[in-house]
């Protein structure tokens, strides 16, 4: 079964974002909260206190996964257009670049937000790089698995 670009993006982005989120939760055990959906929920709560707790949590998680899909869509476009190969080495490189971009996005978000969360921002910003490396590596692995299955399916169809 062949997946279209949107399906490849959604699946690989979901997997990458899930592993990134888990990694940030594990890193939070060291003391500082690095959980992206929690910070997004807090910021939504502070600008829209009238929303239900469930709506605030859903907004935080939804925003986090939406950004994962944005990053994954860029990766899939690069892979599908063959601008770069979907190798783990390139996944690491994409992770570093994405981490820097993520750091800048968070920094801008906290700067424009009227009541950002109180935290050690430097630690949070620096954690964006390993978090995005985890994201990019697992997005790459998921995409590679999709492509390998497509190749097996296409090879199998040649003999029918």
């Amino acid at each position: 079964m062949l997946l279209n670009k949107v399906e490849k993006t959604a699946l690989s982005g979901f997997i990458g974002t899930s592993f990134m989120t888990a990694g940030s939760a594990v890193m939070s055990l060291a003391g500082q909260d690095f959980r992206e959906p929690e910070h997004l929920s807090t910021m939504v709560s502070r600008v829209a206190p009238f929303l239900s707790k469930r709506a605030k949590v859903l907004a935080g998680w939804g925003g986090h996964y939406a950004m994962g899909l944005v990053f994954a869509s860029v990766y899939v476009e690069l892979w599908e257009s063959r601008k770069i190969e979907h190798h783990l080495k390139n996944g690491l490189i994409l992770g570093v670049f994405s981490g820097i971009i993520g750091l800048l996005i968070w920094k801008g978000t906290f700067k424009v937000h009227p009541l950002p969360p109180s935290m050690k921002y430097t630690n949070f910003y620096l954690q964006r790089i390993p978090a995005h490396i985890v994201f990019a590596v697992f997005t790459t692995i998921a995409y590679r698995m999709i492509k390998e299955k497509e190749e097996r399916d296409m090879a199998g169809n040649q003999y029918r």
Side-chain angles (χ1 to χ4, degrees), residues 61-111:
W61 281 92
H64 180 55
Y65 272 90
M67 285 305 300
L69 291 176
V70 169
F71 277 96
S73 69
V74 172
Y75 296 3
V76 170
E77 180 59 34
L78 291 169
W79 294 324
E80 293 277 310
S81 67
R82 302 201 188 285
K83 291 195 175 25
I84 63 170
E85 293 294 320
H86 50 276
H87 298 300
L88 286 181
K89 179 180 140 192
N90 289 337
L92 287 169
I93 293 166
L94 285 170
V96 171
F97 282 119
S98 298
I100 294 166
I101 292 167
L103 179 158
L104 295 171
I105 290 170
W106 276 101
K107 195 170 191 175
T109 302
F110 289 145
K111 190 174 194 92

Side-chain angles (χ1 to χ4, degrees), residues 135-152:
F135 168 81
V137 165
F138 281 96
T139 301
T140 302
I141 290 169
Y143 180 83
R144 285 178 60 94
M145 291 173 71
I146 292 166
K147 293 302 281 184
E148 287 168 4
K149 178 158 183 359
E150 285 181 350
E151 290 168 9
R152 283 192 310 273

